[in-house]
Amino acid sequence: MEIIFLLVKMIVFLFVLLYGANQLLRYLNNRTHQNGGKSLQVLERIAVSKSSSIGIVKILDKYYVMSLSEQTNEVIRELTPEEVQKYRASQQVSSEIVPKQFSQLIQKKTEQLARRKRNSSNEEK
């Protein structure tokens, strides 16, 4: 009987310990990411090889071109304000062009499928 009581006591203590560890980790996570992780953003990343890439990274209010790999991350150079403006303008233009091109492509393919369907139904008659 005493062994069962000790097992129950140990299981309850384990759950209390896990709950406490979970609450502590949540608290620490909120404290370390106070600004929602907006102080560092990888804006664009291009793979150079299997384990390395080059990216544009925004750290606070500065933009950097960085080499990103499994072993090291190195700043190649800091972008000038003019380069940042060009980059942001190109991002806005590409975000406007892509949906138009995509919708045009979908419309074209839909029309092609409709023509095929009409042609196949005409051939069956």
Side-chain angles (χ1 to χ4, degrees):
M1 186 71 173
E2 196 172 304
I3 293 175
I4 294 173
F5 178 71
L6 286 174
L7 282 174
V8 170
K9 190 175 168 183
M10 191 180 345
I11 291 172
V12 169
F13 179 72
L14 179 65
F15 281 119
V16 169
L17 185 67
L18 288 174
Y19 179 77
N22 187 19
Q23 293 303 315
L24 178 66
L25 289 173
R26 283 185 182 184
Y27 173 75
L28 291 174
N29 189 29
N30 290 337
R31 300 292 287 169
T32 57
H33 297 293
Q34 291 175 354
N35 60 359
K38 297 194 189 251
S39 61
L40 185 135
Q41 293 177 335
V42 178
L43 302 175
E44 193 167 339
R45 184 180 228 167
I46 298 170
V48 177
S49 69
K50 185 177 179 181
S51 63
S52 66
S53 60
I54 294 177
I56 297 176
V57 179
K58 178 183 176 188
I59 302 174
L60 297 176
D61 291 331
K62 296 189 178 197
Y63 292 78
Y64 300 95
V65 176
M66 293 184 68
S67 169
L68 309 167
S69 69
E70 291 178 3
Q71 290 80 24
T72 62
N73 296 324
E74 296 179 19
V75 175
I76 296 174
R77 68 185 198 90
E78 182 178 346
L79 295 178
T80 64
E82 295 82 25
E83 291 171 328
V84 171
Q85 287 177 346
K86 285 181 184 179
Y87 173 73
R88 293 180 126 194
S90 72
Q91 291 299 94
Q92 290 174 350
V93 168
S94 67
S95 66
E96 293 171 359
I97 291 175
V98 171
K100 287 181 184 178
Q101 290 176 342
F102 184 70
S103 64
Q104 290 172 352
L105 178 67
I106 294 294
Q107 185 178 7
K108 184 178 176 181
K109 293 298 179 182
T110 305
E111 290 171 358
Q112 288 176 354
L113 288 172
R115 273 190 247 125
R116 282 186 190 170
K117 189 174 181 180
R118 275 185 256 134
N119 289 341
S120 65
S121 65
N122 289 339
E123 289 176 2
E124 289 177 0
K125 292 180 182 180

